[in-house]
Amino acid sequence: MSEAMHIVLDDTAMTAVGQGNVLASRLIHRAHAEPGWYLYAPTCALVEADRARPGTAEHLAALPGITVLDLDLSAALAVAQRGTWAAAHSQFAAQPTPDRPDGAIVATTAPKRWDGEPVRVLDLNA
């Protein structure tokens, strides 16, 4: 059995879903159909994606296999330290937790945004 795959969708990945991005669609399919695949939608990134492409939040929240991550106290404190809430919540969500000891990979269509940040990135442009 392979290791679990934990993937955080940033706001650009979320908008890519609604634009027919094939790689984003494959991630959603795998999270729904294959054991050990987990997709996360941080709330702040979900809000930003919905601002960029109205209807995105409702669409993603309705999909099986996607877990919407609330902005709890520790996430809010991390987000408060940064300028961009969407990226900050995505980065916080990708950090190691007891459920995800190796952290998660951030799926994005803007990989340069993550240069120099302590996260692993999955470029959905390929």
Side-chain angles (χ1 to χ4, degrees), residues 7 23 27 105-109 111 120-125:
I7 300 172
L23 295 176
L27 289 176
I105 299 167
V106 175
T108 185
T109 61
R120 295 173 290 160
V121 173
L122 173 61
D123 184 352
L124 297 179
N125 293 308

Side-chain angles (χ1 to χ4, degrees), residues 21-93:
N21 182 290
V22 174
L23 295 176
S25 295
R26 286 181 186 164
L27 289 176
I28 292 168
H29 172 74
R30 284 191 152 172
H32 174 66
E34 295 182 30
W37 281 77
Y38 303 94
L39 280 184
Y40 304 96
T43 303
C44 292
L46 193 59
V47 168
E48 193 61 34
D50 200 70
R51 286 180 179 162
R53 186 174 173 82
T56 298
E58 186 176 357
H59 174 73
L60 284 172
L63 291 173
I66 295 182
T67 301
V68 176
L69 300 176
D70 293 333
L71 186 64
D72 61 11
L73 178 58
S74 38
L77 294 174
V79 166
Q81 303 290 323
R82 306 289 303 267
T84 306
W85 286 29
H89 198 188
S90 297
Q91 181 176 342
F92 176 80

